């Protein structure tokens, strides 16, 4: 299947929360997101990688509107003993960039080109989350414009066109 | 925006590779996925969470067809010194489950309900990756059917309908 890269979307309106050291047992992700739901906080991207072998704990990160960062962090802090996580950190200075398209799953060359472009531009990648129709990364807010330009160039995209983002 | 949950997709044809302890400097994700692209391996979901504060290193996980697991692992092992990662692990016994819909970003109640359903069914969540149109998790392969039934029930979905998955 030929990949179709339709554009680049970027967002600097978000912050990131990382809940460190969540016990890797059923129900813990549920506890975290129940606290979030009860606080009426809107969440965008959730990322959890595999647990640390040495600790049996996982980190759960998510992005959200910067304006809701404090509220979400305080709600989770209040539930820290109950959930049993080790720490929580809020970083308001992030930028999110997504390469949007289709059929990207069967095209490792697309992600390689995307990550190469960011490397060449000196952009450090903090988080990665992908689907068949988009590759999303989180980087520092002050590197976002550099990253967007680099990816536009690498894929010969018109820098004035912003991708309509659905995924 | 009202969330629309259209269905559940599941996949047991994949394995998971985790590259542990990747140095958190620009270009490392590029190196990993260049090795993968050169090996002609197809990748589905990529997940990278924030670096470990103590080590300054990140773990990068991705899913791929089980049939390509060995090839991908060996290609990365051969590049271990160059990339500088600490370890690599292949787990062929995973199941992927996705809740598919729309407008899920502004609905923390949807993810809470999803994670609650998995908790009630005793399903442990190994990885999480979400977008506006889907919430995907990785669990053990032998828990996948249990997980699918639980999520169908929680969202009153017809267990015979499989979501058409685009995201
Ligand atoms: C860490 C967290 O995802 C846990 N494994 C759970 O299932 O809730
Ligand atoms: C860990 C890896 O993603 C690294 N931060 C990079 O930018 O390539």
């Amino acid at each position: 299947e030929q990949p179709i890269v339709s554009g680049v979307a970027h967002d600097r309106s978000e912050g990131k929360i990382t809940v460190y050291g969540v016990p890797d047992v059923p129900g813990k992700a549920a506890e975290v997101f129940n606290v979030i739901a009860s606080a009426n906080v809107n969440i965008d991207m959730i990322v959890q990688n595999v647990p640390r072998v040495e600790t049996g704990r996982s980190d759960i990160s998510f992005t959200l509107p910067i304006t809701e960062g404090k509220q979400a962090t305080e709600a989770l802090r209040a539930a820290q003993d109950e959930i049993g996580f080790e720490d929580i950190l809020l970083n308001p200075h992030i930028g999110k960039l997504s390469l949007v398209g289709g059929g990207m799953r069967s095209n490792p060359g697309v992600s390689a080109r995307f990550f190469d472009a960011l490397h060449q531009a000196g952009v450090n990648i903090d988080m990665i989350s992908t689907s068949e129709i988009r590759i999303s990364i989180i980087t520092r807010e002050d590197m976002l414009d550099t990253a967007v330009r680099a990816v536009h160039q690498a894929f010969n995209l018109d820098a004035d066109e912003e991708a309509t983002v659905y995924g």
Side-chain angles (χ1 to χ4, degrees), chain A residues 21-33 48-51 56-60:
Chain A
V22 178
D24 183 34
V25 295
K28 290 301 172 183
E31 280 185 72
V32 169
F33 293 102
Q48 176 191 302
N49 206 340
V50 301
R57 287 173 181 262
S58 302
D59 303 332
I60 300 179

Side-chain angles (χ1 to χ4, degrees), chain A residues 91-128:
Chain A
N91 180 351
H93 302 301
I94 64 162
K96 179 182 169 194
L97 184 157
S98 301
L99 186 73
V100 185
M104 299 204 278
R105 168 177 176 163
S106 38
N107 285 283
V110 172
S111 37
R113 195 198 300 192
F114 177 75
F115 294 124
D116 275 338
L118 296 171
H119 172 214
Q120 297 305 330
V123 175
N124 195 44
I125 300 166
D126 186 57
M127 289 166 66
I128 304 170

Side-chain angles (χ1 to χ4, degrees), chain A residues 9-22:
Chain A
H10 65 279
D11 189 343
R12 51 170 31 95
S13 72
E14 298 191 326
K16 165 188 65 165
I17 288 175
T18 300
V19 186
Y20 289 96
V22 178

